[in-house]
Amino acid sequence: MGRQPADHSGNDGSVCQNRPLYGIILSVYQIRIFCERIIRTSGSDPRKQDGTVMNHDHVRTRFAPSPTGFMHVGNLRTALYEYLIARSAGGRFILRIEDTDQKRQVEGALQRIFQTLADVGLQHDEGPDVGGPYAPYVQSERLSLYPEYAQQLIDSGHAYRCFCSQERLENLRREQEASGQVGGGYDRRCRDLSPADIETRLAAGTPFVIRQKMPLTGQTTFTDAVFGQITVENSELEDQVLLKSDGYPTYNFANVIDDHTMAITHVVRGSEYLSSTPKYNLLYSAFGWQPPVYVHLPLIVGDDGRKLSKRHGAVSFSDLTAEGYLPEAIINYIALLGWSPPDNRELFTLEALCEHFSVNRISKSPSVFDYQKLAWFNGEYIRQMTPDTFLRFSEPWFSQVCGPLAPEPARLLAELLQPRVSRLSDIPDMIHFLAEAAPIDPELYVNKKSKSTLETTRQILPLALARLEALEHWTRDDLHALLTGMAEAMSVKNGQIMWPVRIAIARQAVTPGGAIEVLLLLGQEESLKRIRAVCRFLQSLPQAE
RNA sequence: GGCCCUAUAGUCAAGCGGUCAAGACGCCGCCCUCUCAAGGCGGAAACAGGAGUUCGAUUCUCCUUAGGGUCACCA
């Protein structure tokens, strides 16, 4: 038990000398890798009866995004589950940046990743910004590692140099397509080159990649923590590229090396990796390493059943927050996309998730991202806020319509909005009428439930106007007394008074708050102005019989 | 197309041989009510199809069908 420091690299900084190609990209790293000895239960099923993951003391998961400047909710959910698996087992959550594709670098992407994780509260224990015992945590800074391991594989007969040009590969693919077969894969021409052949090409400086030598027969089986046992024929496996001609590792290779050297115990990722996992396992066994526990997650799809992408709407964390969704709501919602608790609970803080999460309740079937349900969660979180908190969150949204408000009206507005808002971004539309009076629409004064008609309005509104003009204190209580007093005096329902007044000042059927609230928000001057305009308008109308 | 995976209401989902097949979102209705919300109550709505195993299949097995994923010097 416990940690056993072990020098895994054997790297004395001289690796590059015999291989000029790598010399360019290598700086001298003295890497000492401490590897935890991972003790596993003997059974092939990594799940325990109670659904907890094993190795409570040593669980290490990693989130390994590539810096594309875009945090897809699918990735975010993966990060979340990785975090939860680690935390619920008292383990560690690591952030690693996978930037081996030089063509896809995006400026500021790293910051975006840090910020997003911070916003949602997924705090990592090790990573490029916080360091850790397995540094560096950025693949482009670990470049010296990969050729070393690739060479090891060549030496042991599990990999080979492939000198085929990209052109030849393209032609090959085109021919395969022409003959009707899709995805025929590399034809393994360089798999059995003679040593002399290889020497000649190396001497000539022919660029090469290093490919994994897949077994031609037999089958490979692995057990996934959610999908169970999966077996594929080795003949289906392509001799995939491990090291590109520029000396960079492919994702597939770097992943295995990094996960192992960083002592990652649980590899959590989307199910799109399911079919390439056997290749990973073959790599592990080629090195003689213990493969990690695999936890493949069902896909998050759009309402058309395909992988969620931009054409489905807002799919990145920043898109979602820009639309007024709260980080807590997003986390809560995506936690439930593909996982469910044993009871019917739906509202979970991150902390609660840590407590209740278990990998054996992760489902296998893909789930549709439902914006309506997200909005419901968002509304729940909004309603849970204290009035002050909600005021702070909503103020920027309503002041963009109303301008800066005095404390009292701002508090009132927030109070009215809080139970009615599901996304903060809905606020401007809801209160636009406060800033600008819409044209008068006589039809709006007709409402059956309030027993309001054009005729009653024509009678009542001028009366109400007169009284409101005379009102000394424009307060909730006085307005209420005035309006309900009128109804009582006239022996009509409150609605028959309230309706025309509210419509006259709001000019729309639906408003947050009733007549009194809208009167308060608008203030005496503006309210009277709008009512007068309506009275004038009604008088200009031809009298009904 | 090969390989892999998946299949309970529109959506998320519980179920792990015997249930009137939960719950939530959404939808509809009622209550509350000065509109709309919020809140309360109620309603409609599902085991893809076919064989087999079994006294008994939503549940186990097989086939079919339908969806999805994957087949790069991308991650």
Side-chain angles (χ1 to χ4, degrees):
Chain A
M1 290 272 284
R3 289 186 176 201
Q4 280 195 3
D7 187 345
H8 252 260
S9 66
N11 188 341
D12 61 1
S14 64
V15 263
C16 34
Q17 279 164 17
N18 308 331
R19 276 160 277 157
L21 194 56
Y22 301 136
I24 319 160
I25 51 167
L26 298 190
S27 49
V28 182
Y29 279 108
Q30 195 73 32
I31 302 171
R32 290 189 68 84
I33 307 287
F34 294 90
C35 181
E36 289 185 19
R37 186 180 168 79
I38 302 155
I39 297 145
R40 290 165 197 284
T41 53
S42 52
S44 61
D45 189 342
R47 291 190 214 176
K48 285 183 176 175
Q49 289 292 343
D50 61 0
T52 55
V53 288
M54 56 191 187
N55 296 326
H56 281 222
D57 304 340
H58 298 292
V59 169
R60 292 173 58 82
T61 60
R62 50 46 173 189
F63 179 48
S66 51
T68 59
F70 179 77
M71 183 73 84
H72 190 276
V73 290
N75 288 129
L76 187 60
R77 187 195 55 175
T78 301
L80 172 63
Y81 284 20
E82 280 158 351
Y83 175 86
L84 295 174
I85 288 169
R87 282 287 178 276
S88 64
R92 284 165 84 80
F93 173 58
I94 290 101
L95 174 63
R96 182 174 75 219
I97 304 299
E98 311 233 331
D99 59 349
T100 54
D101 185 359
Q102 294 295 293
K103 286 171 227 122
R104 299 218 311 200
Q105 299 304 310
V106 176
E107 218 183 318
L110 215 54
Q111 280 313 312
R112 176 69 60 86
I113 291 168
F114 294 146
Q115 192 56 50
T116 302
L117 292 179
D119 285 349
V120 298
L122 300 183
Q123 200 178 55
H124 49 284
D125 302 298
E126 300 167 26
D129 49 344
V130 297
Y134 298 85
Y137 292 92
V138 179
Q139 281 184 336
S140 60
E141 293 171 20
R142 324 182 100 234
L143 254 24
S144 61
L145 217 50
Y146 313 110
E148 170 84 358
Y149 282 107
Q151 183 61 44
Q152 197 177 315
L153 250 23
I154 292 180
D155 295 343
S156 66
H158 293 287
Y160 61 93
R161 294 185 187 82
C162 168
F163 297 92
C164 291
S165 66
Q166 304 230 26
E167 293 73 56
R168 187 179 111 74
L169 261 22
E170 266 163 44
N171 286 336
L172 183 65
R173 195 170 312 133
R174 218 165 299 137
E175 278 169 35
Q176 287 170 339
E177 270 165 34
S179 67
Q181 46 172 311
V182 185
Y186 176 59
D187 63 358
R188 294 173 166 150
R189 172 191 274 216
C190 298
R191 187 188 239 240
D192 297 304
L193 253 31
S194 71
D197 240 346
I198 295 170
E199 276 315 311
T200 328
R201 290 177 209 238
L202 282 177
T206 315
F208 62 88
V209 300
I210 296 177
R211 287 183 184 273
Q212 186 179 359
K213 197 181 262 187
M214 296 296 176
L216 271 8
T217 58
Q219 40 189 216
T220 298
T221 297
F222 73 98
T223 302
D224 181 83
V226 351
F227 286 90
Q229 204 171 73
I230 291 173
T231 301
V232 296
E233 297 295 327
N234 290 335
S235 56
E236 296 290 333
L237 272 21
E238 198 189 348
D239 285 0
Q240 66 176 347
V241 172
L242 267 19
L243 212 60
K244 307 182 216 176
S245 55
D246 61 3
Y248 277 65
T250 58
Y251 164 83
N252 297 306
F253 190 54
N255 238 272
V256 169
I257 304 303
D258 289 338
D259 284 340
H260 178 259
T261 56
M262 289 184 175
I264 300 302
T265 60
H266 294 66
V267 168
V268 185
R269 64 205 346 179
S271 66
E272 67 264 36
Y273 292 100
L274 219 37
S275 53
S276 50
T277 301
K279 297 192 247 182
Y280 285 75
N281 263 17
L282 254 10
L283 233 29
Y284 277 97
S285 66
F287 280 118
W289 296 340
Q290 171 81 58
V293 175
Y294 289 105
V295 183
H296 283 96
L297 271 21
L299 256 23
I300 296 179
V301 299
D303 52 15
D304 58 355
R306 313 183 93 93
K307 248 166 111 170
L308 192 66
S309 71
K310 284 174 197 158
R311 75 194 139 84
H312 294 109
V315 294
S316 75
F317 179 74
S318 51
D319 289 345
L320 259 13
T321 52
E323 290 195 3
Y325 296 104
L326 304 166
E328 299 90 318
I330 297 171
I331 286 295
N332 196 152
Y333 176 60
I334 64 177
L336 263 17
L337 275 187
W339 173 83
S340 63
D343 55 12
N344 281 326
R345 213 230 262 216
E346 295 220 85
L347 263 17
F348 285 95
T349 60
L350 187 56
E351 207 173 70
L353 285 169
C354 289
E355 203 176 312
H356 296 274
F357 190 81
S358 70
V359 301
N360 69 351
R361 296 192 64 89
I362 297 176
S363 59
K364 299 187 225 193
S365 43
S367 32
V368 175
F369 194 88
D370 183 355
Y371 291 91
Q372 278 191 314
K373 182 114 190 201
L374 207 212
W376 175 78
F377 274 106
N378 209 51
E380 289 293 308
Y381 280 90
I382 285 176
R383 273 166 248 133
Q384 275 179 20
M385 287 179 180
T386 63
D388 279 349
T389 308
F390 180 73
L391 178 60
R392 215 170 50 244
F393 273 81
S394 57
E395 180 129 40
W397 293 92
F398 61 68
S399 66
Q400 78 186 52
V401 173
C402 307
L405 287 179
E408 266 321 301
R411 211 186 310 280
L412 172 61
L413 189 52
E415 181 191 313
L416 294 173
L417 256 13
Q418 190 166 6
R420 279 167 250 258
V421 163
S422 61
R423 302 142 77 208
L424 297 172
S425 57
D426 292 337
I427 291 176
D429 279 351
M430 293 171 75
I431 62 168
H432 186 257
F433 71 97
L434 292 174
E436 195 183 343
I440 297 163
D441 176 1
E443 305 217 341
L444 288 179
Y445 296 90
V446 182
N447 182 270
K448 207 167 135 202
K449 223 178 116 195
S450 299
K451 292 194 192 317
S452 179
T453 65
L454 217 46
E455 210 38 55
T456 61
T457 301
R458 211 196 302 256
Q459 293 164 10
I460 289 167
L461 206 53
L463 257 43
L465 175 61
R467 295 197 182 208
L468 288 169
E469 280 173 329
L471 188 64
E472 234 177 289
H473 304 294
W474 199 259
T475 62
R476 178 189 289 270
D477 287 349
D478 286 8
L479 285 167
H480 187 265
L482 186 154
L483 264 9
T484 54
M486 260 185 82
E488 204 174 328
M490 297 174 72
S491 308
V492 297
K493 282 185 65 171
N494 284 344
Q496 216 168 343
I497 309 290
M498 304 290 192
W499 182 274
V501 170
R502 191 176 60 86
I503 299 300
I505 54 178
R507 310 281 170 84
Q508 63 187 33
V510 174
T511 57
I516 293 165
E517 284 86 12
V518 179
L519 284 167
L520 284 167
L521 285 171
L522 248 20
Q524 188 161 23
E525 191 185 335
E526 178 67 15
S527 298
L528 294 177
K529 196 173 115 193
R530 292 188 185 188
I531 298 172
R532 283 191 201 108
V534 174
C535 287
R536 249 178 279 127
F537 175 85
L538 291 174
Q539 264 144 35
S540 73
L541 243 43
Q543 289 284 30
E545 292 309 306

